[in-house]
Amino acid sequence: MSKKVIIVGGVAGGASAAARLRRLDEEAHIIMFERDPYISFANCGLPYYIGDSIKERSKLLVQTPEAMQRRFNIDVRTESEVIGIDPATKTVLVRSKERGEYRESYDALILSPGAKPIRPNLPGINSSRIHTLRNIPDTDRLKQRVVDEHAGSAIVIGGGFIGVEMAENLREIGLEVTLIEGGPQILAPFDPEMAGVLAKELENHGVKLRLSQTVTSFTEQGNRITVHTSDGRESTADFVVLAIGVKPDTAFLKDTGIELGPRGHILVNDKLETSIPDIYAVGDAVEVVDFVNGSKTAIPLAGPANKQGRIAADNVCGLGTTYKGSQGTSIIKVFGLTGAATGNNEKTLQRMGIPYHVTVVHPNSHASYYPGATPLSIKLLFQPDGTVLGAQAVGYDGVDKRIDDIATVIRFRGTVADLAELELAYAPPYSSAKDPVNMAAYTAENILSERVRVFVPQDLATRDEQTTMLVDVRSELEHANGHIPGSLLIPVDELRDRLNELDPNKEIWVYCQVGLRGYTASRILQQKGYKVRNLTGGYKLYQMANYQPGQAISQELPADHTAKMEVAAAETVPAEPQTERHSAAPSEAQAKQHADAELDACGLCCPGPLIQVKQAMDRLEAGQILHVTASDPGFYEDVQAWAAMSKHQMLQVAKRADGIIEAYLRKENPVQPEAAAAQPASSPEGSTMIVFSGDLDKAIASFIIANGAAASGKKVTLFFTFWGLNILRKTEKVPVAKTFIGRMFGMMMPRGSRKLSLSRMNMLGLGAKMIRGVMKQNNVSSLEELMASAMEQGVEIVACQMSMDLMGIRQEELIDGVKIGGVGYYLGKADQSGINLFI
């Protein structure tokens, strides 16, 4: 005799159970009840249909009742709601649109009722302008509101996955969007510093964020609705999307005897059996085991629901399959960024009292020398025995595969040693020989082996200044651009020579930009007898942890450029009039037709992109527009600063979804002499540098700065004296008459730029070869190319006559284009300069 199985609810859990049952038992009589007209649809895709990323509504329908019946011979009854269960008689009470109320018997019952959006009992909550998003009818109502009624603004309440996805998609189609969240951060599965990166991305795209604010009431006024919040403020829009969370849709089980949890979730064992025999439950309505910490939890995600449906079907057929719990692996797209998480976050571990360590790394998504590499941030949490507890990652590319690698290791109760040993696919366009996952594991191993002790940004609030010293081991330029208050600057390359500045009785807290130089510094100091800690994740993590809403720059998305870009400029290209409120944005190719010239600077490192921008702008006429693309992440800020210094107009700067930076600049008219005379006196615009050192690394730094300054429109003079003169010597020997001392100096000193040594770690010339090799791999111009570029841009190269006389160097021995001058000449140039450097 065939078994009769009733399934309550479709979508992920119910539909998966039905298909699996049929594959296991061809003779079973399977009935599926679904109260809506649709039994299986892509509920995770609903926001993207509203945002026009998914164009066709039909693509949301994974399976229709008719197709389900034909393929699997399942009796699908839509618009039929199960309103009661009688376990004693093994029957369910059904309210059907077609047949009214009736009872249906079962041998086994699988419950997949799902969860429904929370609607708090607030004044005005019943307004028709307040929408939730759970199913296809909800989606149709929202789509109609946006398209047919030409809504121009929306308020999203709730900063979870649905709320953020709705905010993104509504903004993508041109609406003004405000997101209100009751907690201090969006996206609870992430820790605050990681969630802050995604919040900043929302703000950069024009979404207004209001955190730590709860809604108190709603007021409908004509075609608008006003949201009142706990801080006394009001926000008004055309409609509201309510996305403050979900609760299990289990009210119909109240008097059945099925045991429920404190929040109404169905309690099940590892075979997904309820407290009543032959009744199983799956999906968002059930309470499950947290795979990492073993506690009871609820994780409303599509992946676990599908797996649970399959396992419930197995056990109806007597296979004895078990569900071992959920680790909450999740991922979200936020405009150009991707955020992903798996396992437990810090908040959960602290609440559960589980000891853990943390490490944060910021590697590139793939080999840095291959074009298009973008940074990603990975946070790894692990126990003192090395067991991986959780991870979070944020970036433009490669986030998904890294979090999946770590999720797999967690599923097998793996350790950071397992992560370190993973052999992952590598080719320059896809990864690095040391994958970012391996790099996170290496730093974790260093912590476990006590090769380094770390601190996190939150520890700075309780740092005792009487017993600790905070040391910035980055460069002087980086420190000047921003640092942690109260820190002493000692660049890592100078650390061994400046140990006298450190108090050996205090613990030294070091930090760099991303953690690597800080680790090097901590190893030096630890082996010198100091107690040291390194800031994991470096100054970049400190900035992430201290982000507050309102710090990001946001702009309207211009109509004549792709809406997929992050617009953050002081001024945008004016939008053309639109005949329709939500007309699609033109393609990138169409947008480029507005530019008079194109420049592809991708693959170049600083200052390469700026130099090329300067050269391209020089070729344009006043009023013409340059469109430039670059892959160097620093170009985003650099080009804005350059435009301001060079007096050109920045029309638009943007980060594309793939991390490529685009900018549109308009060449300004040069200031006429009469106009210049009428303008008030300004600070000197020139730059001068004394180059005293003949070290390769310092020569490279000198010419990088010179090229950048020249590209910014500054008049630059480099004054070479003493050992710096060796940079300017020709490589080949020049036959000139010299004194004995001059000949001795000539033999002992390096002849030309290609013979220069490093100031540190020269290693008999091997270090110099290595740094040149690294520069070539990373598309950084060589010293010789930088020198040629500087002279092409008009940088003045001056050799000190006095130093040449003392060292027996003749003008014929110097490269072409070098001017000979004295101290007076230099001082005259310095007097006209706003910046004077000594290298």
mmCIF file of all heavy atoms in Angstrom, residues 415-444:
data_model
loop_
_atom_site.group_PDB
_atom_site.id
_atom_site.type_symbol
_atom_site.label_atom_id
_atom_site.label_comp_id
_atom_site.label_asym_id
_atom_site.label_seq_id
_atom_site.Cartn_x
_atom_site.Cartn_y
_atom_site.Cartn_z
ATOM 1 N N THR A 415 41.005 23.641 11.300
ATOM 2 C CA THR A 415 41.790 24.606 12.047
ATOM 3 C C THR A 415 42.455 25.603 11.102
ATOM 4 O O THR A 415 42.416 25.434 9.875
ATOM 5 C CB THR A 415 42.880 23.894 12.869
ATOM 6 O OG1 THR A 415 43.820 23.299 11.948
ATOM 7 C CG2 THR A 415 42.289 22.808 13.758
ATOM 8 N N VAL A 416 43.124 26.607 11.696
ATOM 9 C CA VAL A 416 43.845 27.562 10.856
ATOM 10 C C VAL A 416 44.989 26.870 10.123
ATOM 11 O O VAL A 416 45.377 27.296 9.029
ATOM 12 C CB VAL A 416 44.360 28.753 11.698
ATOM 13 C CG1 VAL A 416 43.206 29.553 12.253
ATOM 14 C CG2 VAL A 416 45.271 28.299 12.808
ATOM 15 N N ALA A 417 45.522 25.789 10.692
ATOM 16 C CA ALA A 417 46.554 25.019 9.990
ATOM 17 C C ALA A 417 45.987 24.404 8.718
ATOM 18 O O ALA A 417 46.660 24.351 7.679
ATOM 19 C CB ALA A 417 47.121 23.942 10.906
ATOM 20 N N ASP A 418 44.737 23.941 8.790
ATOM 21 C CA ASP A 418 44.096 23.405 7.579
ATOM 22 C C ASP A 418 43.918 24.503 6.533
ATOM 23 O O ASP A 418 44.128 24.268 5.332
ATOM 24 C CB ASP A 418 42.736 22.802 7.931
ATOM 25 C CG ASP A 418 42.859 21.603 8.863
ATOM 26 O OD1 ASP A 418 43.760 20.775 8.639
ATOM 27 O OD2 ASP A 418 42.066 21.507 9.816
ATOM 28 N N LEU A 419 43.531 25.691 6.977
ATOM 29 C CA LEU A 419 43.377 26.809 6.044
ATOM 30 C C LEU A 419 44.707 27.155 5.393
ATOM 31 O O LEU A 419 44.779 27.439 4.192
ATOM 32 C CB LEU A 419 42.842 28.045 6.773
ATOM 33 C CG LEU A 419 41.337 28.178 6.986
ATOM 34 C CD1 LEU A 419 41.029 29.492 7.711
ATOM 35 C CD2 LEU A 419 40.579 28.131 5.670
ATOM 36 N N ALA A 420 45.763 27.141 6.207
ATOM 37 C CA ALA A 420 47.088 27.476 5.683
ATOM 38 C C ALA A 420 47.549 26.470 4.639
ATOM 39 O O ALA A 420 48.276 26.819 3.704
ATOM 40 C CB ALA A 420 48.098 27.562 6.817
ATOM 41 N N GLU A 421 47.137 25.220 4.784
ATOM 42 C CA GLU A 421 47.590 24.163 3.892
ATOM 43 C C GLU A 421 46.689 23.974 2.670
ATOM 44 O O GLU A 421 47.005 23.169 1.789
ATOM 45 C CB GLU A 421 47.677 22.846 4.663
ATOM 46 C CG GLU A 421 48.773 22.854 5.735
ATOM 47 C CD GLU A 421 48.731 21.621 6.619
ATOM 48 O OE1 GLU A 421 47.924 20.710 6.312
ATOM 49 O OE2 GLU A 421 49.481 21.568 7.599
ATOM 50 N N LEU A 422 45.554 24.688 2.600
ATOM 51 C CA LEU A 422 44.670 24.526 1.444
ATOM 52 C C LEU A 422 45.422 24.840 0.156
ATOM 53 O O LEU A 422 46.079 25.872 0.028
ATOM 54 C CB LEU A 422 43.472 25.467 1.559
ATOM 55 C CG LEU A 422 42.357 25.087 2.532
ATOM 56 C CD1 LEU A 422 41.225 26.113 2.444
ATOM 57 C CD2 LEU A 422 41.812 23.698 2.249
ATOM 58 N N GLU A 423 45.324 23.933 -0.799
ATOM 59 C CA GLU A 423 45.920 24.157 -2.112
ATOM 60 C C GLU A 423 44.822 24.637 -3.041
ATOM 61 O O GLU A 423 43.974 23.858 -3.481
ATOM 62 C CB GLU A 423 46.561 22.875 -2.636
ATOM 63 C CG GLU A 423 47.314 23.066 -3.939
ATOM 64 C CD GLU A 423 48.020 21.807 -4.399
ATOM 65 O OE1 GLU A 423 48.397 20.976 -3.547
ATOM 66 O OE2 GLU A 423 48.172 21.642 -5.614
ATOM 67 N N LEU A 424 44.827 25.907 -3.332
ATOM 68 C CA LEU A 424 43.738 26.536 -4.056
ATOM 69 C C LEU A 424 44.192 26.937 -5.460
ATOM 70 O O LEU A 424 45.378 27.174 -5.699
ATOM 71 C CB LEU A 424 43.239 27.758 -3.285
ATOM 72 C CG LEU A 424 42.759 27.445 -1.861
ATOM 73 C CD1 LEU A 424 42.532 28.725 -1.074
ATOM 74 C CD2 LEU A 424 41.491 26.604 -1.900
ATOM 75 N N ALA A 425 43.246 27.023 -6.374
ATOM 76 C CA ALA A 425 43.552 27.324 -7.773
ATOM 77 C C ALA A 425 44.219 28.682 -7.892
ATOM 78 O O ALA A 425 43.767 29.670 -7.310
ATOM 79 C CB ALA A 425 42.271 27.297 -8.598
ATOM 80 N N TYR A 426 45.298 28.720 -8.672
ATOM 81 C CA TYR A 426 46.035 29.972 -8.837
ATOM 82 C C TYR A 426 46.428 30.205 -10.287
ATOM 83 O O TYR A 426 46.985 29.342 -10.952
ATOM 84 C CB TYR A 426 47.304 29.979 -7.974
ATOM 85 C CG TYR A 426 48.327 30.991 -8.439
ATOM 86 C CD1 TYR A 426 48.021 32.348 -8.432
ATOM 87 C CD2 TYR A 426 49.572 30.592 -8.923
ATOM 88 C CE1 TYR A 426 48.930 33.290 -8.886
ATOM 89 C CE2 TYR A 426 50.502 31.528 -9.375
ATOM 90 C CZ TYR A 426 50.166 32.874 -9.355
ATOM 91 O OH TYR A 426 51.070 33.799 -9.808
ATOM 92 N N ALA A 427 46.102 31.375 -10.744
ATOM 93 C CA ALA A 427 46.662 31.982 -11.952
ATOM 94 C C ALA A 427 46.501 33.479 -11.725
ATOM 95 O O ALA A 427 45.571 33.908 -11.036
ATOM 96 C CB ALA A 427 45.926 31.531 -13.207
ATOM 97 N N PRO A 428 47.402 34.296 -12.261
ATOM 98 C CA PRO A 428 47.369 35.739 -11.939
ATOM 99 C C PRO A 428 46.017 36.425 -12.072
ATOM 100 O O PRO A 428 45.693 37.292 -11.260
ATOM 101 C CB PRO A 428 48.403 36.323 -12.907
ATOM 102 C CG PRO A 428 49.378 35.211 -13.105
ATOM 103 C CD PRO A 428 48.556 33.944 -13.100
ATOM 104 N N PRO A 429 45.151 36.069 -13.064
ATOM 105 C CA PRO A 429 43.864 36.773 -13.131
ATOM 106 C C PRO A 429 42.896 36.394 -12.009
ATOM 107 O O PRO A 429 41.879 37.079 -11.827
ATOM 108 C CB PRO A 429 43.292 36.335 -14.492
ATOM 109 C CG PRO A 429 44.444 35.793 -15.251
ATOM 110 C CD PRO A 429 45.350 35.191 -14.232
ATOM 111 N N TYR A 430 43.177 35.294 -11.277
ATOM 112 C CA TYR A 430 42.201 34.784 -10.321
ATOM 113 C C TYR A 430 42.647 34.853 -8.867
ATOM 114 O O TYR A 430 41.823 34.968 -7.964
ATOM 115 C CB TYR A 430 41.854 33.328 -10.655
ATOM 116 C CG TYR A 430 41.351 33.150 -12.057
ATOM 117 C CD1 TYR A 430 42.169 32.603 -13.040
ATOM 118 C CD2 TYR A 430 40.074 33.556 -12.415
ATOM 119 C CE1 TYR A 430 41.723 32.453 -14.339
ATOM 120 C CE2 TYR A 430 39.609 33.403 -13.711
ATOM 121 C CZ TYR A 430 40.439 32.860 -14.677
ATOM 122 O OH TYR A 430 39.993 32.726 -15.953
ATOM 123 N N SER A 431 43.919 34.747 -8.605
ATOM 124 C CA SER A 431 44.374 34.697 -7.217
ATOM 125 C C SER A 431 45.862 35.021 -7.175
ATOM 126 O O SER A 431 46.420 35.551 -8.139
ATOM 127 C CB SER A 431 44.101 33.309 -6.623
ATOM 128 O OG SER A 431 44.447 33.284 -5.249
ATOM 129 N N SER A 432 46.480 34.716 -6.029
ATOM 130 C CA SER A 432 47.926 34.829 -5.877
ATOM 131 C C SER A 432 48.452 33.474 -5.435
ATOM 132 O O SER A 432 47.686 32.611 -4.973
ATOM 133 C CB SER A 432 48.273 35.892 -4.829
ATOM 134 O OG SER A 432 47.791 37.155 -5.225
ATOM 135 N N ALA A 433 49.756 33.299 -5.564
ATOM 136 C CA ALA A 433 50.336 32.019 -5.159
ATOM 137 C C ALA A 433 50.035 31.729 -3.690
ATOM 138 O O ALA A 433 49.842 30.577 -3.301
ATOM 139 C CB ALA A 433 51.841 32.030 -5.416
ATOM 140 N N LYS A 434 50.028 32.773 -2.895
ATOM 141 C CA LYS A 434 49.529 32.676 -1.520
ATOM 142 C C LYS A 434 48.145 33.310 -1.520
ATOM 143 O O LYS A 434 48.004 34.521 -1.501
ATOM 144 C CB LYS A 434 50.465 33.405 -0.544
ATOM 145 C CG LYS A 434 51.846 32.775 -0.413
ATOM 146 C CD LYS A 434 52.719 33.590 0.530
ATOM 147 C CE LYS A 434 54.113 32.984 0.639
ATOM 148 N NZ LYS A 434 55.005 33.805 1.507
ATOM 149 N N ASP A 435 47.132 32.467 -1.571
ATOM 150 C CA ASP A 435 45.760 32.948 -1.652
ATOM 151 C C ASP A 435 45.422 33.775 -0.407
ATOM 152 O O ASP A 435 45.981 33.544 0.676
ATOM 153 C CB ASP A 435 44.802 31.762 -1.757
ATOM 154 C CG ASP A 435 43.385 32.182 -2.057
ATOM 155 O OD1 ASP A 435 43.049 32.330 -3.239
ATOM 156 O OD2 ASP A 435 42.615 32.385 -1.089
ATOM 157 N N PRO A 436 44.506 34.750 -0.535
ATOM 158 C CA PRO A 436 44.095 35.512 0.641
ATOM 159 C C PRO A 436 43.659 34.648 1.825
ATOM 160 O O PRO A 436 43.887 35.015 2.985
ATOM 161 C CB PRO A 436 42.925 36.345 0.113
ATOM 162 C CG PRO A 436 43.287 36.598 -1.312
ATOM 163 C CD PRO A 436 43.950 35.320 -1.776
ATOM 164 N N VAL A 437 43.050 33.497 1.552
ATOM 165 C CA VAL A 437 42.675 32.586 2.633
ATOM 166 C C VAL A 437 43.921 32.047 3.334
ATOM 167 O O VAL A 437 43.985 31.966 4.571
ATOM 168 C CB VAL A 437 41.811 31.431 2.080
ATOM 169 C CG1 VAL A 437 41.662 30.323 3.112
ATOM 170 C CG2 VAL A 437 40.434 31.958 1.677
ATOM 171 N N ASN A 438 44.939 31.675 2.551
ATOM 172 C CA ASN A 438 46.202 31.233 3.147
ATOM 173 C C ASN A 438 46.828 32.347 3.984
ATOM 174 O O ASN A 438 47.330 32.099 5.089
ATOM 175 C CB ASN A 438 47.195 30.818 2.064
ATOM 176 C CG ASN A 438 46.695 29.685 1.195
ATOM 177 O OD1 ASN A 438 46.841 29.717 -0.022
ATOM 178 N ND2 ASN A 438 46.101 28.659 1.781
ATOM 179 N N MET A 439 46.777 33.581 3.467
ATOM 180 C CA MET A 439 47.383 34.700 4.181
ATOM 181 C C MET A 439 46.708 34.935 5.522
ATOM 182 O O MET A 439 47.372 35.180 6.540
ATOM 183 C CB MET A 439 47.309 35.971 3.331
ATOM 184 C CG MET A 439 48.128 35.925 2.050
ATOM 185 S SD MET A 439 49.881 35.592 2.334
ATOM 186 C CE MET A 439 50.332 37.012 3.317
ATOM 187 N N ALA A 440 45.379 34.842 5.557
ATOM 188 C CA ALA A 440 44.676 34.984 6.827
ATOM 189 C C ALA A 440 45.102 33.893 7.805
ATOM 190 O O ALA A 440 45.285 34.138 9.010
ATOM 191 C CB ALA A 440 43.166 34.935 6.593
ATOM 192 N N ALA A 441 45.273 32.681 7.283
ATOM 193 C CA ALA A 441 45.685 31.564 8.139
ATOM 194 C C ALA A 441 47.108 31.738 8.642
ATOM 195 O O ALA A 441 47.413 31.412 9.802
ATOM 196 C CB ALA A 441 45.555 30.251 7.367
ATOM 197 N N TYR A 442 48.003 32.250 7.789
ATOM 198 C CA TYR A 442 49.383 32.462 8.236
ATOM 199 C C TYR A 442 49.434 33.438 9.406
ATOM 200 O O TYR A 442 50.172 33.230 10.377
ATOM 201 C CB TYR A 442 50.244 33.012 7.082
ATOM 202 C CG TYR A 442 50.420 32.061 5.920
ATOM 203 C CD1 TYR A 442 50.651 32.548 4.636
ATOM 204 C CD2 TYR A 442 50.360 30.686 6.092
ATOM 205 C CE1 TYR A 442 50.813 31.701 3.561
ATOM 206 C CE2 TYR A 442 50.527 29.825 5.021
ATOM 207 C CZ TYR A 442 50.749 30.331 3.762
ATOM 208 O OH TYR A 442 50.907 29.483 2.690
ATOM 209 N N THR A 443 48.676 34.520 9.311
ATOM 210 C CA THR A 443 48.675 35.491 10.415
ATOM 211 C C THR A 443 48.076 34.875 11.674
ATOM 212 O O THR A 443 48.526 35.173 12.789
ATOM 213 C CB THR A 443 47.900 36.760 10.031
ATOM 214 O OG1 THR A 443 46.537 36.434 9.747
ATOM 215 C CG2 THR A 443 48.519 37.427 8.800
ATOM 216 N N ALA A 444 47.074 34.010 11.488
ATOM 217 C CA ALA A 444 46.474 33.323 12.645
ATOM 218 C C ALA A 444 47.489 32.382 13.294
ATOM 219 O O ALA A 444 47.578 32.292 14.533
ATOM 220 C CB ALA A 444 45.231 32.560 12.210
#
